[in-house]
Amino acid sequence: FRRVLFRSLRDVRTELLVKVLLVERRGGDARALLVAQRARFAPIIAAQRRAGRAPDADAVARWRAASAEAVDGFLARELRRR
């Protein structure tokens, strides 16, 4: 199950967290999963940031940008812990 990466940032809160917890509870290291997932999300996060910072960005674009920033920050912090 570690090989299946998520395509949507919405999947992070539930599915990715469950995967990380399961790996940790089995005594494993989730670093490879986190690195791969961050790489998969990088272009999505970059696009959300650009869209959210556009002069004509609406509230939805700004929300998505903030959510993308939160996901990226979480993944970065988790990787620093390992």
Side-chain angles (χ1 to χ4, degrees):
F1 76 94
R2 288 192 229 177
R3 294 181 185 165
V4 178
L5 300 178
F6 301 105
R7 296 177 189 214
S8 171
L9 295 175
R10 291 176 290 205
D11 296 331
V12 170
R13 189 176 73 207
T14 305
E15 286 117 14
L16 180 62
L17 289 178
V18 168
K19 280 187 171 190
V20 170
L21 286 174
L22 288 174
V23 169
E24 289 176 345
R25 287 184 180 171
R26 293 166 87 185
D29 184 2
R31 182 172 181 68
L33 172 63
L34 294 167
V35 166
Q37 191 63 71
R38 194 166 188 216
R40 176 75 173 258
F41 281 156
I44 298 168
I45 291 169
Q48 295 292 356
R49 284 177 177 150
R50 284 191 301 276
R53 292 178 183 153
D56 60 343
D58 61 13
V60 173
R62 293 188 304 272
W63 174 265
R64 288 178 179 157
S67 295
E69 292 280 347
V71 169
D72 192 44
F74 170 78
L75 292 171
R77 285 187 299 277
E78 285 298 301
L79 286 168
R80 281 194 300 271
R81 292 186 60 211
R82 293 164 201 294

